[in-house]
Amino acid sequence: MRPGDPGVPMYDVVGVGFGPSNLALAIALDEHNRDAETPLSALFLERQPRFGWHRGMLIDDATMQVSFLKDLVTLRNPTSEFSFLAYLHGRGRLIDFVNHKSLFPLRVEFHDYLEWAAARFADRVRYGHEVTAVRPLPGGFEVTAGTGERSVPFRARNLVLGLGLEPNLPEGAVLGARIWHNRDLLGRIDDLGDLAAGRFAVVGAGQSAAEVTKFLHERFPDADVCAIFSRYGYSPADDSPFANRVFDPAAVDQFYAAPDDVKQRILGYHANTNYSVVDSDLIEELYRRVYREKVLGAERLKIYNASRVVEVVETVGGVRATVESMTTRAKSVLDCDVLVYATGYRPADPLALLGDAATACRLDGAGRVRVDRDYRLVSDLDAGIYLQGGTEHTHGISSSLLSTTVVRVADILQSIVRRRHAGPDMWTPATLANASPVR
């Protein structure tokens, strides 16, 4: 079909990406439509061939860092059939989980829960469809998604961008056959076979870095594992009750209304709830291993603290990394089988996807996109573009986390419904405030 062809169906919502955030939106739409006089139509476009969420880090014993009660639905609708408890009941493990006395399920189990929920929406997702272009139309957008060499047009009154996160690498770092980001760990580790001996380098000081270090230390019992980070030691995550209030829905309201300087102070105060921090139990386990190996005289787990990687060269079948102490300036050369950057993620840039529509989006004084409280991009367009992520500068530290996903999708859905009922000529703050809420 030609661009703008009236034969292309118009959806009320097209979601770009189908990770946990847009999956939660799909559920909210489904539950809304059951009682709605005029249901909302929706379609989701996902570039992966099937549902997957950080598959490369589904280490067997890794647990979630967020309570199971912050699943896809519970904070919005505690009676939903899509809750984690409903999943456990369906899998025959509810009693076992209760007896386990833990708020934090295994990551592989939570991923299975996400797949279980995603399977219910297979008819509303086009997997293997990477969005390659967005073009504004009167009252909406045309979205072009590629499937191999073939491109397919879709039309939407509203776009919801769940673009996820991209690997964050040190300046100048280049991934390669033996230089990985931790997102690819499990997808590539089997290619190494069973090393009789060897050496791994793990760069980073956060939860993922500590998990990768522990995993490699166990997986390759004769190999050295070198943990390299600029801090003096792994720092514990602050998961205390008062600090965790920064993830409350009310905290989003307060953050959004705060002056920019206050926003920056709050992000700085509470960075240790999420960034470059590690669960205390894991820190203690790694320290036990370091100490035990010193006692036994066979040190395989080596900590290069207050250090940085200053040069990385990929060699035949390996990597040569030069590590510099930040305190003494002494340099060590490590010949490794693999170097893993566990250096975190950054939000994907929505403007890079939007093409011509990006020029209609308004920016703040720092060149960042302006975002309304309902997660709608501030723009000159008469149709909505909503962000699921990439809003830390406006909505706070929880923007890319599961903690507020459910509440965020309720805000987005409520905004779409209110604006639809108000009509394009009546989209004023007063009109929207008086519209009926979404349940």
Side-chain angles (χ1 to χ4, degrees), residues 13 21-22 25 28-29 40 76 158-162 371-376 384-389 391 395 404-419 438:
V13 176
S21 293
N22 271 347
L25 178 62
L29 281 162
L40 293 168
R76 177 182 57 81
N158 297 279
L159 289 180
V160 181
L161 306 183
V371 189
D372 282 330
R373 175 59 186 86
D374 60 3
Y375 299 93
R376 190 176 191 260
I385 303 173
Y386 295 86
L387 297 185
Q388 298 247 47
T391 58
H395 290 69
T404 55
T405 294
V406 180
V407 179
R408 180 175 64 243
V409 300
D411 290 342
I412 291 172
L413 177 55
Q414 182 168 312
S415 175
I416 291 171
V417 171
R418 285 178 170 177
R419 289 174 182 273
V438 172

Side-chain angles (χ1 to χ4, degrees), residues 255-395:
F255 187 93
Y256 188 85
D260 284 344
D261 63 323
V262 175
K263 285 185 169 75
Q264 290 305 311
R265 286 204 297 272
I266 291 173
L267 291 173
Y269 292 153
H270 295 290
N272 64 344
T273 60
N274 184 55
Y275 296 118
S276 296
V277 289
V278 183
D279 286 346
S280 295
D281 290 347
L282 181 52
I283 294 174
E284 292 172 4
E285 172 59 27
L286 290 175
Y287 191 86
R288 274 194 295 268
R289 295 185 185 196
V290 169
Y291 184 77
R292 181 176 67 239
E293 290 180 353
K294 283 188 176 181
V295 171
L296 297 177
E299 297 181 45
R300 291 195 305 113
L301 180 52
K302 302 176 181 180
I303 307 297
Y304 289 79
N305 61 350
S307 299
R308 59 183 179 177
V309 176
V310 293
E311 185 179 34
V312 176
V313 178
E314 196 157 9
T315 61
V316 177
V319 180
R320 175 164 290 177
T322 302
V323 179
E324 180 183 67
S325 168
M326 297 168 63
T327 55
T328 68
R329 302 303 182 190
K331 293 182 179 179
S332 303
V333 176
L334 304 177
D335 287 312
C336 309
D337 293 279
V338 171
L339 182 145
V340 181
Y341 285 111
T343 46
Y345 295 86
R346 63 177 184 273
D349 179 11
L351 298 184
L353 178 71
L354 293 176
D356 292 342
T359 62
C361 298
R362 300 181 188 177
L363 307 180
D364 65 14
R368 303 167 300 191
V369 291
R370 290 177 55 193
V371 189
D372 282 330
R373 175 59 186 86
D374 60 3
Y375 299 93
R376 190 176 191 260
L377 280 178
V378 178
S379 75
D380 299 322
L381 302 168
D382 59 357
I385 303 173
Y386 295 86
L387 297 185
Q388 298 247 47
T391 58
E392 184 174 287
H393 62 293
T394 54
H395 290 69

Side-chain angles (χ1 to χ4, degrees), residues 84 87-99 108-110 112-113:
F84 183 73
Y87 154 81
L88 287 173
H89 184 267
R91 290 287 197 252
R93 292 199 305 270
L94 180 56
I95 298 301
D96 296 324
F97 185 84
V98 172
N99 290 338
V108 292
E109 182 176 37
F110 200 81
D112 188 58
Y113 157 64

